[in-house]
């Protein structure tokens, strides 16, 4: 009979996990379809034992797991993404337990229902992922008004989006905090509506204030471990200039790395030394996270960057300095495909 108690405990565990996931889908991700899928799953789990026959086996006060669980710090969560993965794990483990217990009791058909629910939960988990990866795209646009021949960052953002750019970084080295904040608030609105990833360079406070998708930092900025603590749900990009830095970035949990400078450029002050193309080639063969080539990339040399393993190409002056950004991006794409 204790096996029924095990099933009862796991039905509660699974239902509670699903309830948390349903709430995240509804209130955090604001995704109605996902929330509905989870709710349906929860109802199936609950209704498969409708006659409350399992209630008599419930003995949660005497559950030896309760004390352990209440004293444990192992389940401390830092971010919504941690909460999501912990609860999917809980749901999947619970479903597995029920599945096996039902088999012992000879309920093979019922056990299949729980197996199917477990597989469904793997699919749903993929849909839940909070944006932590770069979009599968080509050009990574970076803003900078001092290189834009008079156009504002807002105008440039709109032109980039018209050209189907899927990721835009705000990088201003000389503006006041207040001006940067105003710019970023406006750009966040435009990028959100157009489903474009918005990354802020350097200023974590601004990235957090405007709810950017990510933050990009350099080697001399705040250490990535600290940034990850502060901005745990954000995409974190780190500039790297040699193999050691690239390996360290992966180890410390960067979501992507900048690789450069590929060529000489006057856009960045105090440009780091880098064996551009051969470093990029090495990264393309040895680094498992996304990598963005940067530094002096133009329409005229982008094919060479691609030949050396480039997949994402970041550009400032070549894009923002163009009279017609859409036309420029189309010309660049012709060199890539
Ligand atoms: N970072 P442009 S090179 C911002 O090597 C930046 O990490 C670099 O500008 C790095 O496309 C660079 O105008 C400047 O050359 C890129």
């Amino acid at each position: 009979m204790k096996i029924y108690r095990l099933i009862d405990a796991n039905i509660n565990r699974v239902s509670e996990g699903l309830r948390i996931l349903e709430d995240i889908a509804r209130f955090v991700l604001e995704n109605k379809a996902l929330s509905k899928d989870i709710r349906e799953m929860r109802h199936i789990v609950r209704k498969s034992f409708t006659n409350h026959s399992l209630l008599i086996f419930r003995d949660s006060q005497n559950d030896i797991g309760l004390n352990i669980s209440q004293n444990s710090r192992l389940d401390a969560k830092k971010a919504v993404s941690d909460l999501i993965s912990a609860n999917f794990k809980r749901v999947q483990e619970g479903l597995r337990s029920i599945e096996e217990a039902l088999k012992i009791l000879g309920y093979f058909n019922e056990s299949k229902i729980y197996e199917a629910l477990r597989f469904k939960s793997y699919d749903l988990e993929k849909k839940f992922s909070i944006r932590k990866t770069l979009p599968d795209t080509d050009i990574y646009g970076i803003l900078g008004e001092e290189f834009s021949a008079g156009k504002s960052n807002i105008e440039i953002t709109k032109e980039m989006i018209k050209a189907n750019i899927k990721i835009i970084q705000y990088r201003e080295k000389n503006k006041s905090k207040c001006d940067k904040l105003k710019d970023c608030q406006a750009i966040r609105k435009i990028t959100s509506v157009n489903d474009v990833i918005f990354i802020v360079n350097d200023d974590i406070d601004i990235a957090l204030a405007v709810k950017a998708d990510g933050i990009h930092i350099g080697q001399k900025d705040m250490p990535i471990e600290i940034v990850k603590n502060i901005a745990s749900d954000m995409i974190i990009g780190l500039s790297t200039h040699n193999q050691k830095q690239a390996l360290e970035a992966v180890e410390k949990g960067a979501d992507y790395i900048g690789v450069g400078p590929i060529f000489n450029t006057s856009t960045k002050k105090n440009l780091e030394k880098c064996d551009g193309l051969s470093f990029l080639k090495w990264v393309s063969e040895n680094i498992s996270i996304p990598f963005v080539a940067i530094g002096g990339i133009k329409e005229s040399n982008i094919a060479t960057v691609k030949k050396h393993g480039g997949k994402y190409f970041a550009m400032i002056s070549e894009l923002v300095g163009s009279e017609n950004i859409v036309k420029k991006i189309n010309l660049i794409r012709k060199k890539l495909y």
Side-chain angles (χ1 to χ4, degrees):
M1 283 303 113
K2 287 196 169 148
I3 201 89
Y4 285 102
R5 199 176 144 204
L6 180 155
I7 293 175
D8 181 44
N10 276 294
I11 285 176
N12 285 329
R13 177 178 293 155
V14 172
S15 304
E16 285 162 12
L18 288 172
R19 166 60 87 177
I20 293 167
L21 292 166
E22 189 182 322
D23 284 348
I24 293 173
R26 188 169 160 208
F27 300 115
V28 181
L29 305 179
E30 295 180 16
N31 185 329
K32 273 191 193 153
L34 207 49
S35 148
K36 182 168 166 274
D37 279 352
I38 298 279
R39 188 168 55 252
E40 276 169 11
M41 236 178 121
R42 193 163 53 78
H43 286 170
I44 296 172
V45 171
R46 278 275 179 229
K47 283 187 183 146
S48 41
F49 293 90
T50 45
N51 61 4
H52 301 283
S53 57
L54 289 167
L55 273 179
I56 54 168
F57 300 103
R58 189 165 300 169
D59 189 10
S60 34
Q61 280 315 311
N62 289 328
D63 185 344
I64 54 161
L66 186 67
N67 245 347
I68 301 171
S69 163
Q70 289 193 335
N71 292 327
S72 167
R73 299 300 307 146
L74 275 179
D75 63 351
K77 317 260 178 336
K78 281 193 194 138
V80 176
S81 51
D82 293 338
L83 201 60
I84 292 171
S85 62
N87 277 288
F88 267 110
K89 204 163 241 113
R90 189 174 172 201
V91 166
Q92 286 149 5
E93 286 171 358
L95 288 170
R96 185 66 185 233
S97 267
I98 299 170
E99 203 180 309
E100 300 300 332
L102 287 170
K103 276 189 221 158
I104 292 175
L105 294 169
Y107 292 114
F108 294 107
N109 290 337
E110 287 78 0
S111 124
K112 286 283 166 214
I113 296 173
Y114 282 88
E115 186 186 37
L117 287 173
R118 185 162 54 83
F119 283 117
K120 188 170 166 66
S121 79
Y122 297 137
D123 281 345
L124 287 173
E125 188 172 8
K126 281 187 214 143
K127 293 190 189 159
F128 251 83
S129 65
I130 281 200
R131 291 212 291 218
K132 276 297 243 181
T133 51
L134 295 192
D136 197 14
T137 188
D138 44 17
I139 297 166
Y140 180 127
I142 305 184
L143 306 168
E145 269 176 14
E146 57 180 302
F147 312 102
S148 74
K151 281 189 211 166
S152 74
N153 283 322
I154 314 297
E155 287 171 80
I156 292 172
T157 301
K158 288 180 183 163
E159 287 191 45
M160 284 183 175
I161 291 175
K162 220 185 264 172
N164 207 23
I165 295 287
K166 289 288 173 206
I167 179 160
I168 295 177
Q169 183 190 125
Y170 182 85
R171 181 181 183 275
E172 282 293 350
K173 296 289 177 185
N174 302 316
K175 286 196 178 196
S176 71
K177 194 69 120 182
C178 190
D179 285 346
K180 288 195 271 189
L181 178 65
K182 271 192 214 142
D183 269 355
C184 286
Q185 283 169 328
I187 295 164
R188 171 70 291 184
K189 272 195 193 137
I190 304 168
T191 48
S192 283
V193 170
N194 290 284
D195 204 21
V196 166
I197 302 261
F198 181 41
I199 308 272
V200 174
N201 187 288
D202 287 356
D203 296 288
I204 302 185
D205 47 358
I206 295 180
L208 290 168
V210 305
K211 296 194 169 64
D213 299 296
I215 173 95
H216 188 96
I217 50 173
Q219 289 290 325
K220 292 185 182 146
D221 291 327
M222 194 182 274
I224 187 161
E225 306 89 299
I226 311 274
V227 177
K228 275 171 79 78
N229 274 337
I230 302 174
S232 47
D233 283 327
M234 282 191 191
I235 297 171
I236 299 172
L238 176 62
S239 297
T240 68
H241 316 288
N242 56 49
Q243 296 182 8
K244 184 168 171 278
Q245 290 173 352
L247 290 167
E248 261 173 28
V250 176
E251 196 188 304
K252 291 185 175 170
D255 296 301
Y256 76 91
I257 52 170
V259 175
I262 302 296
F263 303 112
N264 199 19
T265 174
S266 54
T267 307
K268 186 178 186 183
K269 293 199 178 81
N270 304 319
L271 204 64
E272 296 81 1
K273 276 210 174 85
C274 175
D275 210 352
L277 289 170
S278 59
F279 175 41
L280 175 64
K281 181 110 181 53
W282 179 87
V283 167
S284 73
E285 289 163 357
N286 294 282
I287 294 293
S288 54
I289 61 172
F291 51 94
V292 182
I294 188 165
I297 301 177
K298 313 266 172 211
E299 180 193 342
S300 58
N301 60 25
I302 200 163
T304 311
V305 186
K306 188 178 177 196
K307 255 188 221 141
H308 286 77
K311 182 167 183 274
Y312 302 102
F313 309 88
M315 282 166 269
I316 304 181
S317 50
E318 183 73 341
L319 300 185
V320 304
S322 290
E323 214 167 281
N324 184 332
I325 294 178
V326 175
K327 200 165 149 199
K328 183 55 144 183
I329 289 171
N330 288 337
L331 287 171
I332 292 172
R333 287 200 169 118
K334 280 202 179 122
K335 299 277 160 92
L336 289 176
Y337 304 109

